Amino acid sequence: MEPYQSNTFTAPSINCRGHLLSLARPVVMGIINVTDDSFYAGSRTHGLHQIVEKAGQHLQEGAAILDLGAQSTRPGATLIGAAEELDRLLPAIHAILNHYPEAILSIDTWYAAVAEKTILAGAAIINDISAGDLDPDMIPVAGKLQAPYIAMHMQGKPATMQQQPHYNNVVQEVLDYLVQKLTVCRAAGIRDFIADPGFGFGKTLEHNYALLQELHLFREILGVPVLTGISRKSMIYRLLDITPADALNGTTVLNTIALQKGTHILRVHDVKAAVEAVRITEKMKGN
């Protein structure tokens, strides 16, 4: 393999429906699960009132982006189709934007049809855990829509991804994958590509910590914004022998490490704690 070349990369921004969201200072993405099947019970919302309430809380606490997902991607979760995702997501989008018209919404889906209809309904960002691998129409649709596209690495599929994941060199293999995806996405016309190493998606505890240790390489080599999603995940609660409900402190520790290694977006359940981590780490950098 040819050695990687580092990319010059300063003061990035992404175009969210005509609004340029600066990532020169890290931002926080607040999770809103429009499902009752999420691995962390505290993130589940029931009914539009709770969804709007959660959106308002996230925004008040400093979230720059709200990430809406209608399908749990925890290992072994029951999968739903595109039609059911839309049935859950479209009313949520309309309700949130009716109350908070300036909110920037990201849609967590691997279905191209869901991405297209939700972007047309007012969402701004596509967050695809499969980076186009589960729906071949996704990347062309994202290019057509000119929406920022979060491409995540996942080994296998959600139902089976944690069944003995294996890598010869996890950092190199995930980087290689995202380099290839970046090339494909650029060819499809996607201007705003955001890389997500996929913590917990087809990785062991050791794989996850190896990726976190070398997270700076994703920013330096890819030359694109990097998203880190480690909130309350098993790499925290299994290591500490606790539950997801008790994993906020561990999440803050790992978010702080990710910020020190140059991540641009923290995807979290607990916005206030993440925003505080950003403020402190930025102060330490002299910003």
Side-chain angles (χ1 to χ4, degrees):
M1 185 187 76
E2 293 293 322
Y4 289 120
Q5 299 295 318
S6 294
N7 289 284
T8 302
F9 185 52
T10 57
S13 62
I14 55 174
N15 189 336
C16 301
R17 302 183 69 86
H19 170 76
L20 285 181
L21 176 63
S22 173
L23 302 179
R25 179 187 177 96
V27 302
V28 173
M29 170 189 279
I31 298 168
I32 300 179
N33 287 317
V34 191
T35 173
D36 58 4
D37 197 27
S38 171
F39 80 93
Y40 170 46
S43 71
R44 300 169 190 166
T45 53
H46 306 277
L48 292 179
H49 174 74
Q50 281 194 8
I51 291 166
V52 171
E53 190 176 72
K54 176 68 77 173
Q57 178 188 348
H58 281 343
L59 293 169
Q60 190 274 330
E61 291 178 348
I65 305 167
L66 303 177
D67 189 50
L68 277 64
Q71 178 151 231
S72 174
T73 51
R74 63 176 176 79
T78 301
L79 301 185
I80 64 172
E84 188 171 350
E85 273 199 10
L86 284 169
D87 286 344
R88 297 178 182 182
L89 288 169
L90 290 175
I93 292 168
H94 294 313
I96 292 171
L97 292 179
N98 184 53
H99 284 79
Y100 306 105
E102 301 303 314
I104 297 174
L105 304 184
S106 166
I107 301 301
D108 185 351
T109 185
W110 64 72
Y111 295 116
V114 173
E116 182 162 24
K117 290 180 181 178
T118 54
I119 294 293
L120 294 175
I125 300 169
I126 301 166
N127 182 10
D128 180 4
I129 65 165
S130 82
D133 287 346
L134 294 180
D135 187 339
D137 293 330
M138 176 62 93
I139 290 174
V141 163
K144 179 181 73 173
L145 294 170
Q146 286 296 293
Y149 182 65
I150 302 167
M152 193 193 81
H153 174 274
M154 172 174 60
Q155 187 176 88
K157 297 182 179 181
T160 59
M161 62 188 179
Q162 289 305 104
Q163 295 176 8
Q164 298 180 319
H166 174 75
Y167 303 85
N168 292 319
N169 182 320
V170 65
V171 175
Q172 179 175 314
E173 289 174 47
V174 174
L175 265 171
D176 284 347
Y177 175 87
L178 290 171
V179 166
Q180 183 263 333
K181 285 294 178 180
L182 175 59
T183 300
V184 172
C185 287
R186 289 283 189 254
I190 295 173
R191 296 173 183 171
D192 292 323
F193 179 99
I194 300 157
D196 181 351
F199 291 96
F201 284 78
K203 282 97 176 172
T204 64
L205 192 75
E206 289 73 21
H207 294 146
N208 286 318
Y209 280 94
L211 285 168
L212 185 60
Q213 180 67 33
E214 304 296 338
L215 188 63
H216 60 283
L217 293 177
F218 290 84
R219 173 188 179 124
E220 295 167 6
I221 290 168
L222 292 165
V224 299
V226 175
L227 181 147
T228 300
I230 47 185
S231 181
R232 296 183 181 267
K233 285 187 174 178
S234 63
M235 65 185 290
I236 300 164
Y237 64 78
R238 288 183 180 166
L239 178 66
L240 302 178
D241 195 24
I242 57 176
T243 67
D246 298 319
L248 176 56
N249 184 60
T251 295
T252 301
V253 172
L254 294 196
N255 280 339
T256 301
I257 293 170
L259 290 166
Q260 291 172 331
K261 291 183 176 291
T263 198
H264 300 89
I265 303 173
L266 292 176
R267 181 180 182 272
V268 302
H269 299 95
D270 308 278
V271 170
K272 182 176 182 291
V275 168
E276 290 174 351
V278 171
R279 290 181 63 185
I280 291 170
T281 53
E282 287 296 290
K283 182 67 174 177
M284 290 297 294
K285 294 176 188 174
N287 296 338

